[in-house]
Amino acid sequence: MTEGTYSTGTRIRELIVTPIAFRDPPLLNSSGVHEPLALRCVLQLVLEDGTVGLGESPGGSARLERLQTAAKEVVGRDVFDTTALLAAVDDALLPSVPSSHERGWTTSAIEVACLDAQGKLTGRPVSDLLGGRVRDAVPFAGYLFHKWAEHPALDGRPAAGDSWGEALDPAGIVVQARLMHERYGFESFKLKGGVFPPEQEIAAIEALREAFPDAPLRLDPNTAWTVETSVQVAERLHGVLEYLEDPTASIPGMAGVARSTGLPLATNMCVIAWEHLRPAVEQNAVQVLLTDHHYWGGLRRTRELAAVCEAFGIGLSMHSNSHLGISLAAMTHVAAAVPNLHHSCDTHYPWNAADDIVRPGVLEMRDGAVRVPTGPGLGVELDHAALDRLHRLYLESDIRDRDDAGYMRRVDPGFEARLPRW
């Protein structure tokens, strides 16, 4: 692109990166349990004309440092010149961050902010900038977790409960699913497994099937099982699950399970970077890929990934981690622009929506779906008071990196974060 192609008003004046902390319930997983606070970074990409593009990234000290490095690289660049801009950020990170996956966490958040700004400048929603939406609403699954009734009292902090209550057995999981259905209208469900012995988690899925006879169901034990255990569970739940997600670790491990079962396997753990695609396809390790624009370098790269999956006959869904409304808006726009979205997307949003940093009224989970925002850019507006409050909470807290295993050991000193466990 030649110098001066765009107005100087489209050049970036600064990138403001704000680390925040927000409340998270005690959700159990194979690595331990969620701490009382989850971490994110909120990006404000400020242009010379005052336009602000919003982005959101997973938090943690390393990712915050990388975003701060990137902030120095983007100043003075044109917001429409995203290819060169993101390449410059990638080059700046490469000496200290050799993993393309890890660099993708940074470039994706900046690309979202650029697209939000571009949409505001042109008066078009981000889905239009991605080629146009093929659906007006994006379906999501109710994300179920085994969980404690409350965070325990530690370090002088009182115990903290929530409106979801305890879910430590199949009956509790069914109650949680009914609440998800009543509050948000979810028609499909995903259970985070790897917490209890496989028999108990099979029983939970069977209880969900009885309670919701027609609902698509999926189970994700986060590599807590050996190949042999994974095959046994897949055989038990064949015809019950729409897919089994990351039952065991590695592409060869998943391929071993796939050879022994007709149940589709999904991943967001062993195929998380472009270099993983070829061996996964060659070994037929996964039949469903859970995209995540935070992992793969942005929304446009996610569209490219969807095309690759279509070429090789791999189904598509979407991964989620604890997130707020900027990420949900970005997820919704890219999912709306992907023709081959075969399954409802994951989202943690119901667990964290009470602490959102975007103003209400645009992102509403109804009938298990989010309507695609039609306003310029992402279509959401930053709530500066909420951002300030959550930034203060971050500064006042002692949490700087996620540590599910460490938090679990504070409650259960004998806990071992050993995988596979069964």
Side-chain angles (χ1 to χ4, degrees):
M1 180 174 292
T2 59
E3 190 73 18
T5 301
Y6 296 104
S7 161
T8 56
T10 65
R11 297 198 178 278
I12 298 167
R13 186 171 70 207
E14 64 177 327
L15 175 61
I16 303 169
V17 181
T18 307
I20 62 172
F22 55 93
R23 292 170 294 176
D24 210 14
L27 308 178
L28 299 165
N29 57 65
S30 66
S31 298
V33 62
H34 287 206
E35 295 179 88
L37 295 176
L39 304 176
R40 299 293 272 187
C41 293
V42 175
L43 281 63
Q44 298 175 76
L45 190 77
V46 185
L47 306 187
E48 291 291 350
D49 72 347
T51 300
V52 178
L54 301 176
E56 178 184 332
S57 165
S61 55
R63 292 181 182 131
L64 175 60
E65 182 179 349
R66 292 165 193 165
L67 285 167
Q68 291 168 336
T69 297
K72 302 171 186 176
E73 293 295 323
V74 303
V75 172
R77 295 183 178 273
D78 197 293
V79 74
F80 283 93
D81 194 10
T82 52
T83 300
L85 185 156
L86 297 177
V89 170
D90 195 66
D91 287 345
L93 295 175
L94 183 57
S96 59
V97 189
S99 165
S100 64
H101 168 63
E102 286 296 328
R103 297 196 305 277
W105 291 100
T106 303
T107 54
S108 63
I110 294 173
E111 187 227 33
V112 168
C114 287
L115 288 170
D116 186 36
Q118 292 173 23
K120 290 171 178 174
L121 290 169
T122 59
R124 306 303 292 263
V126 164
S127 56
D128 281 3
L129 303 182
L130 298 175
R133 66 182 185 271
V134 296
R135 56 186 62 84
D136 293 328
V138 172
F140 287 89
Y143 206 154
L144 310 177
F145 284 83
H146 294 101
K147 68 180 292 291
W148 298 332
E150 60 185 14
H151 282 287
L154 290 171
D155 301 328
R157 184 187 65 240
D162 55 63
S163 65
W164 295 97
E166 184 177 87
L168 297 175
D169 56 22
I173 292 296
V174 170
V175 169
Q176 188 182 105
R178 292 193 189 282
L179 286 174
M180 284 277 184
H181 177 71
E182 291 168 7
R183 294 175 182 179
Y184 300 101
F186 291 117
E187 299 292 345
S188 59
F189 299 96
K190 168 178 170 173
L191 174 61
K192 179 67 75 178
V195 176
F196 296 111
E199 283 295 330
Q200 182 170 334
E201 296 184 348
I202 290 171
I205 292 294
E206 291 173 340
L208 286 169
R209 170 55 67 232
E210 183 176 354
F212 299 90
D214 301 319
L217 303 176
R218 57 192 78 154
L219 173 61
D220 173 19
N222 277 145
T223 73
W225 305 336
T226 63
V227 169
E228 293 74 19
T229 299
S230 300
V231 170
Q232 292 169 11
V233 175
E235 291 174 347
R236 288 278 302 274
L237 294 178
H238 192 274
V240 179
L241 295 176
E242 59 174 332
Y243 60 73
L244 179 61
E245 179 183 340
D246 286 311
T248 198
S250 80
I251 290 172
M254 291 283 282
V257 178
R259 285 193 296 270
S260 302
T261 176
L263 181 62
L265 302 183
T267 188
N268 73 276
M269 296 183 72
C270 69
V271 182
I272 56 173
W274 294 93
E275 59 265 29
H276 301 154
L277 283 168
R278 180 172 178 172
V281 170
E282 289 176 341
Q283 297 177 48
N284 191 31
V286 295
Q287 291 71 54
V288 180
L289 185 61
L290 276 67
T291 66
D292 187 327
H293 73 271
H294 303 91
Y295 282 19
W296 290 87
L299 304 185
R300 289 192 172 113
R301 294 290 271 172
T302 300
R303 283 279 281 118
E304 295 168 2
L305 178 64
V308 172
C309 289
E310 185 176 23
F312 288 103
I314 298 173
L316 218 63
S317 184
M318 186 176 289
H319 168 257
S320 165
N321 212 316
S322 300
H323 65 86
L324 298 174
I326 297 172
S327 279
L328 179 61
M331 293 163 65
T332 301
H333 278 285
V334 71
V338 170
N340 51 317
L341 184 71
H342 301 97
H343 306 273
S344 57
C345 302
D346 293 348
T347 179
H348 285 64
Y349 193 65
W351 297 108
N352 307 121
D355 277 342
D356 207 353
I357 38 82
V358 300
R359 296 190 184 280
V362 175
L363 299 173
E364 295 187 6
M365 195 79 65
R366 290 185 178 181
D367 300 322
V370 175
R371 292 196 66 80
V372 184
T374 56
L378 292 173
V380 296
E381 181 182 352
L382 185 63
D383 183 334
H384 288 275
L387 180 67
D388 291 345
R389 176 174 57 81
L390 297 184
H391 179 54
R392 289 196 303 272
L393 185 59
Y394 170 84
L395 294 175
E396 294 165 359
S397 77
D398 59 355
I399 298 177
R400 292 295 179 267
D401 292 288
R402 178 171 172 170
D403 185 7
D404 291 9
Y407 184 49
M408 176 65 89
R409 280 192 287 268
R410 296 179 67 194
V411 179
D412 176 9
F415 176 77
E416 293 184 23
R418 175 178 50 83
L419 296 175
R421 192 168 289 122
W422 290 284

